[in-house]
Amino acid sequence: MALPIETGMWGSVTEAVHADLTAVETELRAQVETALAAGVDVTHLDAHMGTVWQPAFVDLYLRLGEAFQLPVILSRDVNNMAPRDFDYTPYFERLAARGNPDFQRFLTTPFGNFAPDHATYADIFNRAAPGLNWGGFHFTAPGDIALYSDDAATRLGEYEVFRAGQAQELLNAAGIDLVGMRAFRETMRIVA
């Protein structure tokens, strides 16, 4: 299936699953290689909008993590964001074998809530499962975002909660400690 002429990009994850796998691999490799060549300390691979968590791409996603010796983000509740009837067990086993962090739950921006507040994030953080959880938040400072994003109000509201220090208070109340990906990457490279 060809890309839409008007945008040159897939409009949604469900449309993107029709992309040519070779083209997807070429693009993803180029992104990682470009970041590395630019001197970026790449600590992990993530799945923008969950696109590479889809069955058509998940094997490629894991292969790229293996090739670049990087952890990948794939949480045990992936079926909340990908097809519910797809069995990810073999992929979790593969990740465990290479020492990838075992994320239990994916906590993220409350898209669709155009006025997120303190209570919104208290609820999100209280959903954290025991063990590791991945936080994918999308706070954005005021600026041009309102010109091109239909979820600008959500992102700006999230920005206000996070920048006011409320997020740290809520994380503390939920018993969540923040950790970065660099140590996980280094541990995985030692094990490999």
Side-chain angles (χ1 to χ4, degrees):
M1 179 179 280
L3 285 172
I5 293 172
E6 62 277 2
T7 63
M9 296 184 69
W10 298 104
S12 69
V13 172
T14 54
E15 291 174 21
V17 299
H18 301 293
D20 177 76
L21 190 58
T22 302
V24 172
E25 181 170 2
T26 299
E27 175 60 28
L28 294 178
R29 280 186 181 280
Q31 289 180 22
V32 177
E33 290 168 352
T34 300
L36 292 169
V40 174
D41 183 20
V42 179
T43 60
H44 64 282
L45 300 181
D46 196 353
H48 183 70
M49 295 174 51
T51 305
V52 294
W53 294 336
Q54 304 307 305
F57 305 124
V58 70
D59 182 67
L60 167 61
Y61 181 49
L62 270 61
R63 283 191 289 116
L64 289 172
E66 292 159 357
F68 290 101
Q69 294 184 296
L70 293 169
V72 300
I73 307 308
L74 186 68
S75 60
R76 295 278 177 170
D77 64 345
V78 66
N79 291 109
N80 291 335
M81 298 160 276
R84 293 191 182 275
D85 60 349
F86 186 75
D87 183 11
Y88 285 87
T89 304
Y91 299 101
F92 288 118
E93 290 170 354
R94 191 164 140 197
L95 290 171
R98 60 182 290 254
N100 198 86
D102 188 10
F103 295 103
Q104 301 303 305
R105 195 159 289 154
F106 185 81
L107 307 174
T108 191
T109 299
F111 290 110
N113 177 343
F114 296 114
D117 59 12
H118 188 273
T120 305
Y121 293 95
D123 179 57
I124 290 170
F125 296 151
N126 284 322
R127 289 185 221 150
L132 292 172
N133 294 266
W134 180 256
F137 295 95
H138 303 80
F139 42 87
T140 307
D144 292 344
I145 187 140
L147 299 174
Y148 59 85
S149 176
D150 59 0
D151 58 17
T154 302
R155 293 169 183 261
L156 294 168
E158 188 163 273
Y159 171 78
E160 290 303 323
V161 171
F162 276 73
R163 81 181 194 108
Q166 295 174 30
Q168 187 61 57
E169 294 168 13
L170 294 168
L171 288 165
N172 293 343
I176 297 173
D177 295 319
L178 297 180
V179 296
M181 292 300 294
R182 191 168 287 108
F184 290 116
R185 178 196 63 195
E186 295 310 311
T187 300
M188 287 177 67
R189 288 179 174 174
I190 291 168
V191 172

